[in-house]
Structure formats: structure tokens, C-alpha cells
Amino acid sequence: MKRWLASLVNRAVAFVIFIIVLSALAVALISSMVSRSELEAQAREQVETIANLVASDLDARLAQRRDTLAHVAEGFTMEESVLTSRARVLIRREIALQHLFDGIYLFDTNGNVIAEHPEDYDQTGLDVSDREYFRDTSDQLTPIISEPYLSNYQDRPAIMMTAPVFDHRKRFIGMLGGAVFLDGDNFMHETSGVGIGKTGYVGLATRSGVTLAHGRTGEVMTPLRLENPVLRDAMGGFEGTLSTRNQEGTDTIMSVRQLSQVPWFVSAVWPAKEAYAPVSRLADSFVQVLLIVILVVAPLALLVFRRLMAPLRNLGFQISERHLGIRTDPVDVAGGSEIRQVAETFNTVMEERDEVLASLAEREAFFRSLTQSAPIGIIQTDVLGRIEFVNPAFEKIVGIDSNDLLHTPLVEGVYEEDRAGALNDWRAALRDKVVFLGRLRLKTLRDQNLIWADVMTAVIDTEERTLGTITVVRDITHELEIEAELAEEQERADSILGILREGVLMLDVDGAIRYANQAACEFLGRPEGCEQVNFFEHVAIENESRRWEADDFLRSADVDSLYATMRNSRGRAFDVDLAILHLHRGARNHQLILVIRDDSERRREEERLSWEATHDSLTGLLNRRAFNSSLVKSLGEASKKTVASVLMLIDLDYFKPVNDKGGHLMGDDLLGRLSDLLRASVRQSDTVARLGGDEFGIILPACGLERAMELAETIRRGIESIRIEQDGKSFGVTASIGLTEMSEGDSGPREVMARADEGAYAAKARGRNRVVTVPLPPGDRLI
């Protein structure tokens, strides 16, 4: 292959074939991408349309059957005894329901089947009170569509639609149900029969993960396979069309639509291989056409290029003869324009060769004139390092005339302490033919002063021999003085920043720390040093429950004070006040200045003030203001609770004598013990507060009145048992406790507090040391 490609003709043929193949592949790739994109859009639209149609049809059919069932149930308004006696007659005459359902059932209030159709199912007398659909309908008293279940008839999978039956007084007397078998010949079976193309199918499942219909496998009432992430998302309510893989690993297009009547979803699936089949067939045809084109073009291109390159071979023979001196005339100019151009160029080069040699002297003169005006010092030496030429800029740097410098060794101008090292490096550079770079001190006129210079020396040589060196010298004395002053200022700034308690950092746009004082390194958990460490990888900064990422810092404006929590790589957290300053924003050298201040003490003071504003200082319980806020919140949530919330007010009996006889310190001790008792008696979700003096309040969310009464008795006995001994006397108190339920009918906390207070007063009126419950007003009791 190497020998074959050595020929330009063969290379040209290979290039032509390569271009054809490359162009064809580009066209094929673009066409395939465009076609696939269009096919994918069409396939997605088709799958999405089918999923929408199936979902809409199922919603309509389910709604029709549920509404019809509810309408028939409304017509069964009669006495419960009449319903029981006429149950079979009522079921038999409901012809419409018989066409809509696989089975119709009438249940009494205890969940017993009192009539059915068809009677061949032999379900009459069966107790279904443990079925979820019966419990839900009995509790909610509304029509429902059940989750799938295994029926009592031959364990066939089914769903049940139920509607409650009421008498003339709107009292629940029974239930009408219609069953649909998932494996029967009905609209559920029709869903799994919907096809998409040749191998696409439709599936139906519940959000709880049960398969209702599967167009590919025919599965019914089986757990949903969750290897597919789209199905997992569909169980959470996802709707949409995505490319995914099924359980067998086949690429598919899947569209998911949620049903509005029940927590089910429809999935329409079309294998991608079938959807994109036209693109694959087009690619196969394209490859066949490409092979035919190559077989035709390759021989033809080979023949054409051989004829075109024949003059080039003749030109090669003539150039070889001219080089060997056999030919003295110019080479012939023939063939294509490129070959003619080569021949003309060769003739021109030969003519100009002598002229080039003559111009070398002129170029040397030009070089010398150019260096005269250069702003930096330039010195030319021979191979022994003796100066042959210096420009005026170098004369000005060292203050010595060029006549005094010529033919003197260049190294003698280097200060003695730097000379030995410079000489060794310079010889190594000459030997290895590399550029010598150094920073040296040079002597000036009469050695009065020394100057610092950056020196660069390169070898001047040809293929045959080395001619000498060229050296460039730049005076950097003033620059070094400025650098020394800057270093001194930097050292002073570092000293100041080093003693600050605030952390100060400089970051680049990648987060690398370019400068940090000691306080900043301690914040980062790296007291040994943190420069060059990536700031964003070693700390996490959160503000208002949101973590600040690197982009947030780079895009933010300058910030004077950002209250945040900073956690370093060692897990230590700080409450900080952060300041952010941008330098050179938008430029390549964009940098961030961060100032970190410890904000823990201020936040602890805020937390202390916040606690004191909402708590009683003596007992540590909530105060009246915080208690009222909790009570308003509980009243707002009363309608959402299935079990009633309860308010308990506790008024101590005989507390004044304890204060009068035992003193306020004893009273405070008693209140402290009482507070510990209340905290230990309630749940974590309950609210306990001291409302003032000897009055306490407890909010019991979703507790229920019966359980609240038991808790109140426990608290009453606990208070009664508290005794304090002093000077041989025993002191104690009892409690009058009022209880009342909270209702969504309560207009506000004042109303429910008044009821509970009424109970406490009633307890005192009945002799104290007891619990009294005040019921809700008529019409407010929870149903």
C-alpha cells in the first residue's frame, strides 16, 4: 500500500474516491438525521394521539358507567326494608346496567349481597364488608371506582363501581355496585387490543403499580415492572412522550396519559426500530448506489490522472539533468498550468541563485543599520566571545564607547561575582546550540555603578560552521527597584491582613485561592495554609436554604453583607457575614475578593430575643402570644382533621395561699414542677403554654375528645400529687380543667377559649379538682 500511494496519480485517485465517500457519507448522515428527526416527530405525534384517544375513551366510558350507576341508585330511594324485599326485582329490570357491566350487585348496609345479576355468579348472601370499595363508599357516601381486585367469582380480576343508596331521609340504606372483569369481553379488553403499526401496543395500569391491560403480553392484574423509569414517573403523575427502553431492553417511543376519572394511566408504546424502519431501508439503498459509483469512477480517474501527469515526469528528468550539469538550457515549459508554473519557477530560481549570493553583503549592512535604532542593547561576538559590533543603545546602558568595547571579551563586562556562573551557562548554550537566558549585573564606566540586566544570547551558525553569537541586553535596574518597593508594600499588607479576625481571600474564576490570610484558612479548616486550594470544593455556603454555587458568586453583584451558613471540608459550620467584591469583571483576569466575618454571636443574640418573645421566662413554656398563634393555626386546620383537635385550659386551685404562706420562691418552685409535669404528659406535637399567673393552656391536635379526657384526668392527678415541704408544713394545689373540641365553625380563638374557660369555671363551681367538658354548639359537631 505504501509503494502504491508513493505515486501522485494513485494518491489523486485515492483522494477522489475519499472525497466521493466523504461527501456521500455527509449527505447520508444529514439525510438520515433529517429523516429520523421527521420520522421521530411523526412517530411521537402518532403515539401521543393514540394515548390521548385511548385515555379520553376510557375516561368517557368509566364516567358513563359511574354516572349511570349513580343515577339508578338515586331512583332506589325507599325504606331499607322495601329495598331488601324488592332487591331482586329492582336488579332484574335495570337492563341498561346489565349492558354496561359484567355483574350488578345490591348490598345492604352490612356489606351483604342481597341481589345480583347474572344470578349464575351465585354471590347472593356473600359478605363484602371487608372489601375496600365497600368501606370507601360507606365512609365517603359518594360514587367511586375501585382499585383492581380478585373477585369472589372464579378469582377473576375486576374493578367495582359503586354508588350509595339513601332513603327519603337521606339515610344510607345500601349500595349499588357494577363489576367489570378485566379479562372479559368488554371495553377494558378493547383497550389492550389497540395496535400501533405492526408491533406497537397500548397498556393500562394504576398509579399503585398494578397492570390492568397489556397489549403485548396480555397480562392482567400483575405488578407493574418498574425497570422503565417512564413507568415509575407515570406512577407519580407524569404525562408526556419520551424515548425509552422497555423491560427487554428494546428502544421504544412511549407516551403516557393520566386518566381524570381514576388514578390510572395509559401508556402507548411503539418500538423505535419499526418507527424508524424507512430510514434504515434508505441507508441500505444508499450504500449500494455508493459502491456502484466507486467501481465506475475509480478506473476512469486512474486513466485520466496518468495522462495529466505525464508532462510532470518529463520535467523531473530535465531538472535532474540541469542539477548534474548535463543540461545548461532552461527546462521545457509544457503540460498543465501547474506543471508550467513549476518549470517557470525552477528556471527563475536558478537565475536568482547568483543574485542572492550577491545580496548577502547588502543584507549585512542593512542589519547593522537596523540595530543602530533599536531601543535595546545588541552585541555581536565571534566564536571566542570577543565583541565585533555593539549598537548605540548598549553604549548608553554601560556608558562606554563602542571603540573601547570592540575586540574585548564580552564576559569581562559582567560583574565578578556573577561572571563564573554566567560563563558556564553561556558555554553550555553554545555547545547545545540553545538560547542563553540570564539576569546579570554589568559593570559601567570606571566601575562606578552596577546595573541589572536581562541578557539573551543566541548562536549564529550555518550548516557548515558556527559564526559567533548575537546578544540582546535590557536594563532592568529601575524595574527591580519598583519590584522591591511593591514587595515591601505587599509584606506590609500581608502583616495587616494576617492579624485581622476577618477572613480575606482572593479567588480566580475557577475558584483557586490566589491569596488568603490566616483567619480565612482557619475558616476553611486548613490553618496550615490554603493558597492554590479550590475554594468552592472545600466549602459549602447556604443562604435562605439555597446553596450558592460557583456561578452564583461569579454572576452576583458586589455584596456588602450576605448572612449565610458556611460549612468547611472538615464538617465544621459557621454563621458568617460575607462580603463579595469583583475585580476586572468580564476580563480574562476577573477575580473575586471575599471577606468572611464570624456572625455567630449576633445570631445567638437574635435567637435569644426571639425565644424570650415567645416563652415564659419562669417555666420555659410558650407565652400567651405564641399560644394564641398556635391556636389560630389549629383552628385553620380543623377542617382537614379526621379526628377533632381539643383545647384544654388548666386553672390552679388554692395557688394564692401557697404564695402567701410559703412565699413567692415556693410558688415559683411549684410552677416549675407543674411545667415539667405538663411537658412530660403531652405529645411532641402538642402545644403547652403558661397563659398568666396560675393559668395554663394545652392544644391537642387530632387527639379526640375521649383521649383528651383521659389525658386531663392524668394531669389532674399528677398536679394533685405534687407536694412541697417547708418548715414541717406541706403545700400543694389542685386543678380545675376545662375541655372543648375545636370546630371549623369556630369564628376564632376567642370563641373556643371561651368554651374551655367555661369548663374551668364549671369545674371550680362543682367543687374544684375536676375535669369538665364543654360540648360544641348544635350544628358545629363534626360528622
Side-chain angles (χ1 to χ4, degrees):
M1 178 61 69
K2 263 181 152 182
R3 293 179 61 185
W4 189 83
L5 288 175
S7 170
L8 291 178
V9 173
N10 295 341
R11 290 185 187 180
V13 173
F15 179 74
V16 169
I17 295 175
F18 173 76
I19 292 299
I20 293 174
V21 172
L22 185 63
S23 302
L25 289 177
V27 172
L29 181 61
I30 295 172
S31 301
S32 175
M33 291 174 62
V34 173
S35 301
R36 185 181 179 90
S37 176
E38 293 179 355
L39 282 174
E40 183 175 1
Q42 294 174 5
R44 283 174 175 265
E45 183 177 355
Q46 184 174 349
V47 172
E48 187 173 341
T49 300
I50 290 175
N52 283 331
L53 290 175
V54 172
S56 300
D57 181 65
L58 279 174
D59 274 331
R61 295 193 184 210
L62 291 171
Q64 176 196 10
R65 283 161 174 75
R66 183 195 59 200
D67 296 343
T68 303
L69 196 70
H71 178 71
V72 172
E74 291 175 359
F76 286 179
T77 304
M78 59 188 70
E79 294 296 327
E80 184 175 2
S81 59
V82 176
L83 179 69
T84 304
S85 62
R86 299 186 59 197
R88 292 191 176 183
V89 176
L90 293 173
I91 289 297
R92 287 174 182 169
R93 71 183 186 184
E94 293 302 331
I95 305 302
L97 293 182
Q98 295 173 16
H99 288 291
L100 292 176
F101 295 96
D102 294 323
I104 310 171
Y105 304 94
L106 193 59
F107 309 95
D108 62 14
T109 56
N110 295 322
N112 296 314
V113 180
I114 59 177
E116 65 175 326
H117 178 85
E119 295 182 357
D120 297 343
Y121 291 166
D122 195 21
Q123 305 293 304
T124 303
L126 183 67
D127 183 5
V128 297
S129 60
D130 59 336
R131 290 288 192 184
E132 185 177 357
Y133 62 79
F134 182 81
R135 295 197 304 269
D136 291 346
T137 306
S138 301
D139 293 341
Q140 302 174 16
L141 298 181
T142 58
I144 68 165
I145 301 174
S146 77
E147 287 288 307
Y149 66 97
L150 291 177
S151 68
N152 292 308
Y153 177 68
Q154 298 179 355
D155 287 336
R156 294 181 65 180
I159 59 171
M160 179 70 74
M161 301 186 191
T162 57
V165 179
F166 304 96
D167 61 10
H168 295 288
R169 295 186 298 278
K170 300 299 182 182
R171 187 170 60 86
F172 176 64
I173 62 173
M175 186 185 307
L176 181 61
V180 178
F181 290 128
L182 299 181
D183 59 353
D185 187 11
N186 50 42
F187 71 97
M188 295 294 290
H189 180 70
E190 294 174 4
T191 299
S192 62
V194 176
I196 308 173
K198 294 181 179 180
T199 59
Y201 58 91
V202 172
L204 178 64
T206 68
R207 288 191 193 175
S208 59
V210 178
T211 300
L212 301 179
H214 198 292
R216 182 171 59 85
T217 64
E219 294 177 348
V220 175
M221 201 67 181
T222 58
L224 192 64
R225 298 179 182 176
L226 299 181
E227 294 88 350
N228 192 326
V230 179
L231 295 180
R232 291 198 299 270
D233 294 343
M235 290 174 63
F238 166 75
E239 279 191 328
T241 303
L242 296 172
S243 296
T244 182
R245 289 189 175 185
N246 62 14
Q247 292 84 352
E248 287 74 25
T250 303
D251 291 334
T252 61
I253 300 173
M254 178 179 288
S255 181
V256 175
R257 286 296 176 271
Q258 302 287 340
L259 272 65
S260 58
Q261 301 297 327
V262 286
W264 301 351
F265 63 89
V266 172
S267 60
V269 182
W270 195 6
K273 184 176 181 180
E274 180 182 341
Y276 304 147
V279 174
S280 300
R281 291 194 294 270
L282 178 62
D284 293 341
S285 301
F286 190 85
V287 171
Q288 295 175 2
V289 173
L290 178 61
L291 290 175
I292 294 173
V293 170
I294 292 174
L295 292 175
V296 172
V297 169
L300 182 61
L302 185 61
L303 178 62
V304 171
F305 283 128
R306 285 188 182 279
R307 298 190 66 177
L308 290 175
M309 295 297 288
L312 186 60
R313 287 195 297 271
N314 295 331
L315 178 61
F317 293 141
Q318 294 181 42
I319 291 176
S320 178
E321 292 174 350
R322 182 71 185 270
H323 176 69
L324 296 174
I326 302 173
R327 183 185 182 96
T328 57
D329 297 332
V331 297
D332 296 335
V333 179
S337 60
E338 292 83 1
I339 299 175
R340 290 199 302 271
Q341 184 177 1
V342 171
E344 292 172 353
T345 301
F346 178 76
N347 290 332
T348 302
V349 169
M350 295 299 292
E351 293 173 359
E352 292 178 351
R353 184 178 60 175
D354 296 334
E355 297 177 6
V356 170
L357 294 176
S359 65
L360 287 178
E362 297 177 3
R363 294 194 179 189
E364 183 179 357
F366 173 76
F367 165 74
R368 290 181 178 275
S369 63
L370 182 63
T371 57
Q372 295 293 323
S373 57
I376 57 177
I378 300 175
I379 309 103
Q380 179 186 344
T381 69
D382 58 19
V383 292
L384 298 178
R386 294 173 298 193
I387 298 175
E388 294 184 341
F389 169 79
V390 296
N391 69 340
F394 183 75
E395 293 182 56
K396 185 177 180 181
I397 291 173
V398 296
I400 302 175
D401 187 82
S402 61
N403 294 325
D404 297 330
L405 293 172
L406 291 177
H407 309 300
T408 62
L410 176 59
V411 73
E412 289 184 359
V414 178
Y415 182 54
E416 287 79 0
E417 294 183 5
D418 298 341
R419 186 177 300 170
L423 187 59
N424 291 333
D425 293 341
W426 179 71
R427 287 172 177 170
L430 290 182
R431 182 182 64 251
D432 299 333
K433 295 186 177 180
V434 297
V435 176
F436 164 75
L437 297 173
R439 177 168 291 185
L440 309 171
R441 286 173 289 182
L442 301 180
K443 296 188 295 184
T444 60
L445 181 62
R446 299 188 184 90
D447 299 334
Q448 292 177 350
N449 296 305
L450 296 176
I451 61 168
W452 279 96
D454 274 341
V455 178
M456 180 175 67
T457 300
V459 177
I460 304 174
D461 59 2
T462 64
E463 294 181 358
E464 292 81 11
R465 63 192 181 94
T466 298
L467 302 178
T469 64
I470 185 76
T471 300
V472 177
V473 178
R474 187 170 67 89
D475 187 356
I476 60 169
T477 305
H478 184 61
E479 294 179 12
L480 293 179
E481 292 173 353
I482 295 175
E483 287 180 6
E485 294 176 0
L486 291 176
E488 184 179 350
E489 292 295 329
Q490 180 68 41
E491 184 178 356
R492 186 180 297 111
D494 289 344
S495 300
I496 295 173
L497 293 174
I499 62 175
L500 290 178
R501 295 181 60 188
E502 291 85 357
V504 181
L505 304 102
M506 178 184 291
L507 318 176
D508 61 19
V509 293
D510 296 322
I513 299 175
R514 300 306 180 189
Y515 172 80
N517 66 353
Q518 183 62 31
C521 293
E522 291 176 356
F523 275 118
L524 269 64
R526 297 177 63 92
E528 70 281 2
C530 55
E531 290 194 12
Q532 303 305 319
V533 170
N534 190 290
F535 176 79
F536 303 117
E537 293 178 358
H538 281 73
V539 299
I541 294 180
E542 294 184 359
N543 168 254
E544 298 180 352
S545 300
R546 182 180 74 86
R547 176 167 176 170
W548 276 54
E549 303 295 344
D551 287 345
D552 297 324
F553 283 93
L554 295 175
R555 296 173 183 168
S556 71
D558 290 350
V559 177
D560 293 331
S561 184
L562 175 68
Y563 297 122
T565 299
M566 185 180 77
R567 187 178 301 277
N568 62 29
S569 58
R570 297 188 178 180
R572 186 177 177 187
F574 299 90
D575 294 325
V576 298
D577 181 5
L578 191 66
I580 305 172
L581 175 65
H582 292 265
L583 299 179
H584 314 296
R585 184 193 290 272
R588 294 179 61 184
N589 57 340
H590 180 190
Q591 292 180 322
L592 286 175
I593 303 296
L594 302 182
V595 180
I596 305 172
R597 305 178 186 90
D598 192 338
D599 198 42
S600 303
E601 184 175 349
R602 183 190 66 80
R603 296 194 191 185
R604 284 195 296 270
E605 181 65 16
E606 287 184 355
E607 291 174 358
R608 184 185 66 77
L609 294 175
S610 175
W611 188 91
E612 290 178 353
T614 57
H615 288 74
D616 177 56
S617 59
L618 175 62
T619 63
L621 300 177
L622 294 180
N623 59 21
R624 179 178 288 274
R625 178 192 298 174
F627 182 80
N628 287 340
S629 298
S630 297
L631 184 58
V632 170
K633 181 180 178 182
S634 296
L635 287 172
E637 297 174 350
S639 61
K640 304 176 184 178
K641 305 290 186 183
T642 57
V643 178
S645 300
V646 178
L647 172 63
M648 180 190 303
L649 288 185
I650 303 171
D651 197 350
L652 300 182
D653 305 323
Y654 310 112
F655 180 70
K656 188 174 185 302
V658 174
N659 266 344
D660 293 343
K661 297 178 181 180
H664 289 287
L665 291 178
M666 179 181 290
D668 292 347
D669 185 18
L670 180 63
L671 290 177
R673 296 189 187 186
L674 175 60
S675 301
D676 294 338
L677 170 67
L678 296 181
R679 272 192 290 261
S681 301
V682 301
R683 304 166 299 180
Q684 288 187 350
S685 59
D686 299 336
T687 302
V688 183
R690 182 187 180 194
L691 304 182
D694 58 353
E695 187 177 4
F696 296 83
I698 302 177
I699 300 173
L700 304 168
C703 177
L705 189 57
E706 183 177 350
R707 184 178 176 188
M709 292 173 65
E710 295 176 359
L711 176 62
E713 283 294 335
T714 301
I715 292 175
R716 184 193 65 76
R717 290 193 298 270
I719 295 175
E720 186 180 18
S721 66
I722 297 175
R723 309 298 297 176
I724 298 178
E725 302 291 335
Q726 180 175 304
D727 298 333
K729 297 181 180 180
S730 178
F731 295 90
V733 296
T734 59
S736 297
I737 303 176
L739 291 177
T740 186
E741 291 180 306
M742 300 183 197
S743 167
E744 58 181 317
D746 287 323
S747 60
R750 183 175 298 177
E751 184 176 349
V752 69
M753 285 284 288
R755 287 203 306 273
D757 208 26
E758 181 184 344
Y761 279 120
K764 286 185 179 294
R766 296 178 190 177
R768 295 183 172 83
N769 194 23
R770 64 189 65 239
V771 178
V772 175
T773 301
V774 179
L776 293 172
D780 283 354
R781 184 165 299 279
L782 295 173
I783 298 176

